[in-house]
Amino acid sequence: MADVDVVVGIDLGGTKILTVAATPDGRILARKRVATPQGRDAVVAAMRDTVAAVLGEVGAAVPRAIGVGAPGPMDPVAGILLEPPNLPGCANLPLAAIFRQLYPDAGIHVENDANAAALGERRFGAGRGVDDLCYVTISTGIGGGIVAAGRLVRGAAGTGGEVGHTVLAPDGPECHCGLHGCWEVLSSGTAIARAAEAAVARGEGAAIRAAAGSGPVDARAVDQAAAAGDPAALRIVAAAVRYNGIGFCNLIQVLSPARIIVGGGVSRAWDRYIAPAAAWAKRHAFARPGGMCAIVPADLGDDVGALGAVAVGLGDAEAS
Ligand SMILES: [Zn+2]
C-alpha cells in the first residue's frame, strides 16, 4: 500500500515526456519533463526515471496506478506501441508489460494520446459528468477522441476517434496519411501556415508577414492580420472556419454529442477559428442534436496529455 495515494500519468510525445504524480482527483503534486531521447532503450529509461523522480518528490514508493498516453498506432488492450512514426525505434514496444514488471502492485494502462486527452477532459476538465462527448485538438495536426454512452470509442482496431483523417474535400490537397482533403490537411495549424506562406509567396501576404514579426507565418499571425481586416488573412480564416464547421457538423450528425470540446494551439484564437465554425455546425446539423450540442474550449491546457494519462491510469478507457 502506497503511503501517499497518487496516480502517475506519463505523456509520451515525439519531442517531450511529461510525467506527473497526481491525486486521484487530478491535483498535480509533482511533474518532470524531459526531451524524448532517441531509441527504444533510451525512451524506456527516460520514462522509468521520470516516474521514479515524481514518486520520490511526493514520497510515494508505489503509485495506485500508472497511465500512459502515447502516439499511435498502438494496441491499447495489450499496452503495446505498434509502429509510431513520431517515436522511431519504438516499434512493438510492450510498455504495459515493462511497467508491470517495475510496479507489480500498480494498475497499468496505455492509451492513444488523443483518446487519453478526451478522457482527461471528461474526468478533470470541460467534459465532467458528460457521457457523450467528442474531444478535438486542432494544432499542428487534428486529433480526436470520442466518448459515447460513457465509454471510450476505441473500435475494433483501437483506432477509433481519428476525426482528423475524415475526408471533407475529396479533391483537396494530399494528406500525409495518403488520403486527399482530410480535415487535418485543410484546417490544422500546419494547413493555415501553409496557406499563409503561399499568400506571402504570391505577394498577397504582406500584412500576415508583418503580423508575424520575427516569428513564423502561422495561425496566430493570420489571426492578427485578419483582425486588421487584411483580405488574404480573411480568406485563409474563412477556409479554415468552413472546414472546421463541416467537421463539427459531421460529428453532431454521426454521434449527437452533448459536448464537443476543442483544444490545441489554433483553438486559442477561439473567436477567429472556432466560434463561427461552431455556430455554422449547430445551424446546419439536424435541429435537435445541433441544439443539444455545446461546443466549448478545452479546460486542461498544456496538462491535458499528462492528466489524460492519469485518467487512463485510473482505468477510464475500460470503464463502462
Ligand atoms: Zn489524413
Side-chain angles (χ1 to χ4, degrees):
M1 190 65 198
D3 36 352
V4 185
D5 187 16
V6 292
V7 181
V8 169
I10 308 172
D11 176 12
L12 171 61
T15 57
K16 63 118 175 52
I17 299 169
L18 173 61
T19 298
V20 302
T23 60
D25 60 359
R27 198 157 48 86
I28 294 176
L29 303 175
R31 62 174 76 222
K32 179 78 181 168
R33 185 191 164 115
V34 297
T36 306
Q38 289 294 309
R40 181 189 187 89
D41 294 344
V43 167
V44 171
M47 293 175 76
R48 193 188 57 214
D49 292 349
T50 59
V51 172
V54 295
L55 288 176
E57 194 174 328
V58 301
V62 179
R64 177 203 290 219
I66 297 175
V68 184
M74 68 163 55
D75 178 344
V77 177
I80 298 173
L81 306 191
L82 295 178
E83 217 162 337
N86 293 340
L87 291 171
C90 291
N92 303 311
L93 182 61
L95 275 183
I98 288 168
F99 278 94
R100 222 161 261 141
Q101 208 160 37
L102 290 167
Y103 297 97
D105 294 329
I108 313 279
H109 299 278
V110 179
E111 187 54 65
N112 165 292
D113 46 14
N115 285 350
L119 295 172
E121 288 288 346
R122 180 170 183 241
R123 184 178 269 272
F124 304 120
R128 265 175 281 197
V130 179
D131 279 343
D132 292 278
L133 67 82
C134 302
Y135 170 79
V136 181
T137 175
I138 305 181
S139 58
T140 52
I142 295 183
I146 293 163
V147 174
R151 290 192 69 105
L152 179 69
V153 177
R154 280 172 164 169
T159 58
E162 288 283 2
V163 300
H165 299 282
T166 53
V167 173
L168 307 187
D171 299 322
E174 187 174 5
C175 181
H176 63 84
C177 76
L179 291 167
H180 281 255
C182 291
W183 187 354
E184 170 167 309
V185 81
L186 295 167
S187 59
S188 64
T190 307
I192 294 167
R194 197 185 309 115
E197 279 158 14
V200 169
R202 283 197 306 271
E204 299 166 3
I208 303 171
R209 180 69 267 171
S214 57
V217 177
D218 60 5
R220 192 198 51 80
V222 172
D223 171 37
Q224 286 187 7
D230 177 64
L234 288 169
R235 270 198 306 276
I236 295 169
V237 167
V241 165
R242 174 163 185 254
Y243 291 117
N244 287 340
I246 296 170
F248 296 149
C249 187
N250 287 349
L251 292 177
I252 294 172
Q253 298 294 65
V254 173
L255 295 158
S256 183
R259 219 163 279 181
I260 297 175
I261 300 167
V262 187
V266 173
S267 72
R268 290 196 190 113
W270 185 270
D271 291 344
R272 186 75 55 200
Y273 295 112
I274 310 300
W280 189 93
K282 285 169 62 70
R283 212 163 51 239
H284 288 80
F286 287 161
R288 194 170 147 76
M292 290 175 74
C293 179
I295 301 178
V296 302
D299 210 20
L300 301 179
D302 293 339
D303 287 331
V304 68
L307 285 173
V310 169
V312 168
L314 289 166
D316 285 7
E318 280 81 23
S320 56

